[in-house]
Each structure stands twice: as structure tokens, then as C-alpha cells.
């Protein structure tokens, strides 16, 4: 699930957080991802919590009127901090091309171009 903050807040002296995502991993814990742009695809920071309730407490009353937006768990080999199904090229075959990504569009994996708008 992800949500937009009602009031963006500084995470350090130069960066502002606009959006957050919470991802629970098979009862092993919860990662919170922080995004420094309203339209950011990849997170800039993350933190770990033992459980979902603890992770959600941080944002109680802090989200905009949309609240939490539910999304599916990431597909295999996909980035956990992305709302869209994006993966490192070749990761699924054991030959990752670090820094090169692909996105699942209309059932096909295509090169991810970060300069284009997302679907």
C-alpha cells in the first residue's frame, strides 16, 4: 500500500518526503519506503519495522484524503519499492544488468525509460 502525505516533510537538510509505501514481507517484517518526489518511481530511503501496525502508526493522520492506496505485492524479481512492475534486466535469469530496468506493459517486458510518463 502507498499514500501521499498531506504535508510533505523534510527527511534531512536537502530532501522532502512526498509519498510513502509500506510492504509487509510474509510476516518477516515490514519495509517502509520514502519517496522524495510526488511522481518518484523508486524510493530514496527505507526503514524496517517488526510489524504492520508499527509501520502504519508513523503515518496516522498524515496521509491526504485518498488515504492508503492498496496495490498488489511485487511480481517475482521486481523491485519492492516500485508501484509498477519494474525489474533489473536479466535478474530473472541470474544475469542481472545492474542499472538497466524493464517494466511489464500489456503483458510484455519492455525497456524502462525513466524519462517517459508512467502508465
Amino acid at each position: 500500500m502507498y499514500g501521499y502525505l498531506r504535508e510533505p516533510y523534510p527527511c534531512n537538510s536537502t530532501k522532502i518526503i512526498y509519498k510513502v509505501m509500506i510492504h509487509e514481507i510474509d510476516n518477516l517484517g515490514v519495509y517502509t519506503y520514502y519517496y522524495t518526489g510526488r511522481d518518484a518511481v523508486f524510493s530514496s530511503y527505507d526503514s524496517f519495522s517488526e510489524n504492520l501496525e508499527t509501520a502504519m502508526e508513523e503515518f496516522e493522520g498524515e496521509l491526504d484524503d485518498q488515504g492508503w492506496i492498496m496495490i498488489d505485492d511485487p511480481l517475482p524479481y521486481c523491485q519492492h519499492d516500485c508501484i509498477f512492475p519494474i525489474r533489473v534486466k536479466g535478474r530473472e535469469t541470474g544475469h542481472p544488468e545492474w542499472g538497466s530496468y524493464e517494466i511489464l506493459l500489456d503483458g510484455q517486458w519492455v525497456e524502462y525509460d525513466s524519462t517517459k510518463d508512467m502508465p
Side-chain angles (χ1 to χ4, degrees), residues 21-83:
M21 178 193 293
I22 293 179
H23 179 223
E24 186 174 24
I25 302 174
D26 298 325
N27 297 317
L28 297 175
V30 178
Y31 281 93
T32 301
Y33 300 106
Y34 304 88
Y35 300 82
T36 55
R38 186 163 174 80
D39 298 323
V41 174
F42 297 101
S43 67
S44 297
Y45 306 98
D46 62 52
S47 64
F48 179 81
S49 301
E50 294 293 325
N51 58 61
L52 186 59
E53 294 76 24
T54 301
M56 291 179 73
E57 282 176 6
E58 180 180 357
F59 305 105
E60 192 165 321
E62 299 295 326
L63 298 180
D64 69 11
D65 293 338
Q66 295 178 83
W68 288 112
I69 300 165
M70 302 306 290
I71 57 175
D72 292 331
D73 282 339
L75 295 173
Y77 306 107
C78 286
Q79 301 297 114
H80 287 186
D81 66 337
C82 291
I83 295 168

Side-chain angles (χ1 to χ4, degrees), residues 86-103:
I86 295 176
R87 67 184 183 190
V88 171
K89 280 185 170 181
R91 194 170 194 178
E92 77 287 1
T93 62
H95 299 92
E97 296 176 32
W98 302 112
S100 295
Y101 298 93
E102 52 190 5
I103 184 169

